[in-house]
Amino acid sequence: MSDLKEPTESRAARAERERQHPSPIRELTARELARWSWRQLTSMRTALILLLLLALAAVPGSLIPQENLDSVKTTNWQAAHTSLTPIYRRLGLFDVYGTPWFAAIYILLMLSLIGCIVPRLGVYWRGLRAQPPAAPRNLGRMPDSASYTTSESAEEVTARARQVLRRKRYRIRREPSADGAVSAERGYLREAGNLLFHVSVIVVLVGFAVGSLFGYKGGVNVLVGDQYGFSNELTQYDDFAPGSLFRPSMLNYFDLHIHDFDVSWLKSGPRQGMAKGFKSDIEYQTSADGATKSYRLEVNHPLDIGGTEVFLIGHGYAPVITIRDAKGNITYSGPQIFLPENQSFLSFGAVKPPSGNVALEGLFYPSALSLSDGSVTNITGDIGDKSAAVLSFQVFTGDVAAANAGQSVYTLNTTGLKQVTAEGGKAFNLHIGQTAKLPDGLGSVTFDDVTRWNKLQISQTPFKHVALGGVTLALIGLLGSLFIRPRRVWVRARETEGGTLVEVAVLDRSGNDEVGVVVSGLVAQLQGRVEEEQS
């Protein structure tokens, strides 16, 4: 029996055999499919695609009014775009951040980043523990290298090389090479910066996710004056967008009112008459029997009450109106908030008395100019001494309560109502202190005065400091990955007949063009011509 083994099949022969007789294609098992799917999800390419998709998905939330942030603006947009509204509603574009597809992108991005980072942490840890690579056989073939001859011994040169490299904070290979070459490396924190950046992105995503789940954001219009105010209760909000895990018990207790409000206006230029700044003097209490505190509320300077932030984001006018029926009984009396249509504070609004059969809808002009055709136009948002303020309204009669059940307080649903006009079919125009008698014995409307209101945004965002810390760490990691340069250095000294031949080579793994300067500086230090030189 022969002891000879049959010759093994070469790689080329095996490839040719597999080409001519390919293995039959089989279906992946569930485990193989799951492994393949996980590898695709955790690739850096997939993470970048998901990050781009998340950015694109957030665009509609910035361009299209969101129902949970400003229901009035959303309603007006839908009324003006009746053909697009059904499509947008089906796609969830009026509540982008609460849609399942946005949440799916968010979760997939987090899983992809985690899958990318965890293996890289293991690779980086092994890289930290590994020694710098041994010197190549021929340093003269390196792109950046130099050599010189000295009378010093090889041991003296390598000892000096180790001393210089340690001073420059290089990590030196512990195991001596066969030819006595010194190998050193630095710049390990560059990869740490990359990892820190990616970990920080996850921290930011987690911070925003927790804030969105447990936090809330609401809006409310508060009239200026000590007799008006706001209590932090759900029924007090005009708009309220809670997180999925928010509970009413999470609301912090506080009461506030706007003691005073001041606006500064542009007096000249193309934007004359527009507000350039505004601030409110707030008084608030954090307990029922607590002391009253004061705060100057300004744009981008919120009031923080136990983690709940109060922002001043807008303002406007509220005409004080009195409506009387035919018998002189008051069916409505008080200020009604009108919402500004533009930066000159031309405002629209509606008055719907809880009793009676008369409702108003119209415009408020802070500083009106009468035109020759009997109409008015607004000049500026600065109301001044109120003498030029005009309330222009239309009157509707009928079952107002039934027609406007469930409607916004700022708009009037005129379906089923009859319009009543002034003489000549025009709208009613009143200055402060004037009264308009309504035809058909419907009573009268008096424009008593005008007060102001502030738009407050009240929000609570848990983990916001975690998200801010993640952004800070991401910036630090990005700076580290940009400015830390990983670099390898090799120094070899060999004794020859003409003296000791010293070879120096530097490899900059970040592609720095200044490597030649580093080589020349290192050579100068090895020759003892300079004490120290920064590389």
Side-chain angles (χ1 to χ4, degrees):
M1 187 173 181
S2 174
D3 295 333
L4 296 177
K5 297 182 179 179
E6 295 184 3
T8 58
E9 186 179 24
S10 66
R11 181 179 301 176
R14 184 170 60 253
E16 179 65 20
R17 179 175 57 80
E18 292 179 353
R19 185 184 67 81
Q20 294 179 358
H21 304 284
S23 301
I25 299 176
R26 63 179 181 84
E27 294 184 357
L28 295 177
T29 64
R31 181 177 181 181
E32 291 171 340
L33 179 61
R35 182 183 301 172
W36 178 86
S37 301
W38 176 252
R39 287 177 179 175
Q40 297 302 313
L41 176 63
T42 57
S43 66
M44 186 57 66
R45 179 180 60 184
T46 302
L48 292 175
I49 292 175
L50 290 172
L51 188 61
L52 177 61
L53 286 177
L54 188 68
L56 292 176
V59 171
S62 303
L63 300 179
I64 301 174
Q66 302 295 288
E67 288 178 329
N68 55 1
L69 299 181
D70 195 334
S71 59
V72 176
K73 187 176 181 180
T74 305
T75 301
N76 294 336
W77 192 96
Q78 293 173 351
H81 303 82
T82 54
S83 59
L84 291 176
T85 296
I87 302 174
Y88 282 15
R89 186 173 295 281
R90 186 173 300 175
L91 295 175
L93 297 184
F94 296 115
D95 185 19
V96 170
Y97 308 111
T99 56
W101 53 265
F102 188 87
I105 297 174
Y106 204 95
I107 294 173
L108 287 175
L109 176 59
M110 290 186 61
L111 291 176
S112 180
L113 288 173
I114 293 173
C116 289
I117 292 172
V118 171
R120 290 180 62 184
L121 288 174
V123 173
Y124 180 62
W125 174 249
R126 289 192 294 271
L128 283 178
R129 302 185 62 181
Q131 297 190 54
R137 181 176 301 177
N138 193 340
L139 294 180
R141 292 182 179 179
M142 298 292 292
D144 297 281
S145 61
S147 63
Y148 68 92
T149 304
T150 180
S151 59
E152 295 181 313
S153 64
E155 290 77 7
E156 291 176 331
V157 173
T158 54
R160 182 180 294 113
R162 291 177 178 274
Q163 182 181 6
V164 170
L165 292 174
R166 284 196 182 96
R167 192 163 57 239
K168 290 177 175 292
R169 298 181 181 178
Y170 281 85
R171 190 171 68 177
I172 301 175
R173 182 181 178 90
R174 295 187 301 272
E175 298 177 0
S177 59
D179 56 1
V182 177
S183 301
E185 187 175 17
R186 76 174 187 181
Y188 294 93
L189 291 180
R190 180 187 178 90
E191 179 63 16
N194 287 328
L195 293 173
L196 179 62
F197 175 80
H198 288 86
V199 171
S200 300
V201 173
I202 297 178
V203 173
V204 172
L205 292 176
V206 170
F208 279 120
V210 174
S212 299
L213 290 173
F214 292 93
Y216 71 89
K217 181 182 294 184
V220 59
N221 297 328
V222 181
L223 293 166
V224 177
D226 294 337
Q227 68 272 36
Y228 310 108
F230 168 80
S231 295
N232 192 29
E233 301 174 358
L234 291 179
T235 56
Q236 296 278 307
Y237 283 90
D238 295 330
D239 304 295
F240 192 80
S244 302
L245 301 180
F246 172 81
R247 298 292 180 269
S249 58
M250 298 178 183
L251 288 173
N252 291 335
Y253 174 86
F254 65 85
D255 295 322
L256 64 81
H257 65 266
I258 304 171
H259 177 70
D260 195 15
F261 177 67
D262 180 63
V263 186
S264 55
W265 304 91
L266 294 171
K267 301 298 183 181
S268 60
R271 302 182 66 184
Q272 179 180 357
M274 299 181 183
K276 67 176 181 180
F278 45 93
K279 51 191 175 182
S280 298
D281 291 326
I282 301 290
E283 294 184 352
Y284 66 98
Q285 291 180 314
T286 55
S287 61
D289 54 352
T292 301
K293 303 177 183 179
S294 300
Y295 186 81
R296 173 64 60 87
L297 189 63
E298 300 181 49
V299 177
N300 297 326
H301 291 80
L303 168 64
D304 192 324
I305 305 176
T308 301
E309 292 183 313
V310 181
F311 295 85
L312 175 61
I313 61 174
H315 62 100
Y317 294 103
V320 181
I321 302 170
T322 299
I323 302 177
R324 292 180 172 85
D325 60 17
K327 297 181 180 180
N329 298 320
I330 296 177
T331 60
Y332 179 87
S333 181
Q336 175 60 40
I337 293 174
F338 276 47
L339 302 179
E341 287 189 331
N342 51 43
Q343 292 182 330
S344 65
F345 285 86
L346 172 64
S347 307
F348 72 93
V351 181
K352 297 178 284 189
S355 61
N357 59 348
V358 172
L360 312 179
E361 183 181 51
L363 298 172
F364 173 72
Y365 301 82
S367 182
L369 176 66
S370 299
L371 302 179
S372 57
D373 60 357
S375 62
V376 293
T377 184
N378 196 55
I379 302 175
T380 172
D382 188 359
I383 199 171
D385 60 0
K386 304 181 183 180
S387 60
V390 170
L391 177 64
S392 178
F393 60 90
Q394 297 175 331
V395 179
F396 295 86
T397 181
D399 193 349
V400 177
N404 287 269
Q407 298 292 320
S408 169
V409 297
Y410 304 110
T411 58
L412 177 66
N413 180 20
T414 60
T415 303
L417 302 181
K418 178 184 177 182
Q419 182 177 354
V420 179
T421 61
E423 185 178 353
K426 299 180 181 179
F428 295 89
N429 295 329
L430 297 178
H431 288 276
I432 292 179
Q434 293 182 341
T435 299
K437 291 186 177 180
L438 305 181
D440 302 330
L442 293 175
S444 64
V445 176
T446 302
F447 182 18
D448 298 308
D449 198 358
V450 62
T451 186
R452 297 180 185 271
W453 57 267
N454 285 176
K455 174 71 173 181
L456 302 181
Q457 178 182 290
I458 302 173
S459 61
Q460 189 177 73
T461 310
F463 267 51
K464 63 181 178 180
H465 298 298
V466 173
L468 178 61
V471 173
T472 304
L473 292 177
L475 180 60
I476 295 173
L478 183 62
L479 292 175
S481 63
L482 290 176
F483 294 105
I484 297 176
R485 303 189 182 280
R487 185 173 295 157
R488 290 173 178 172
V489 175
W490 296 280
V491 178
R492 177 183 286 123
R494 293 181 298 173
E495 295 182 358
T496 63
E497 294 180 357
T500 301
L501 176 63
V502 181
E503 296 176 299
V504 179
V506 177
L507 176 63
D508 196 305
R509 299 165 63 192
S510 62
N512 186 15
D513 296 333
E514 301 178 354
V515 182
V517 178
V518 177
V519 174
S520 60
L522 184 57
V523 170
Q525 292 181 60
L526 292 177
Q527 292 177 331
R529 290 187 277 116
V530 292
E531 289 297 326
E532 176 133 358
E533 184 173 327
Q534 295 295 332
S535 60

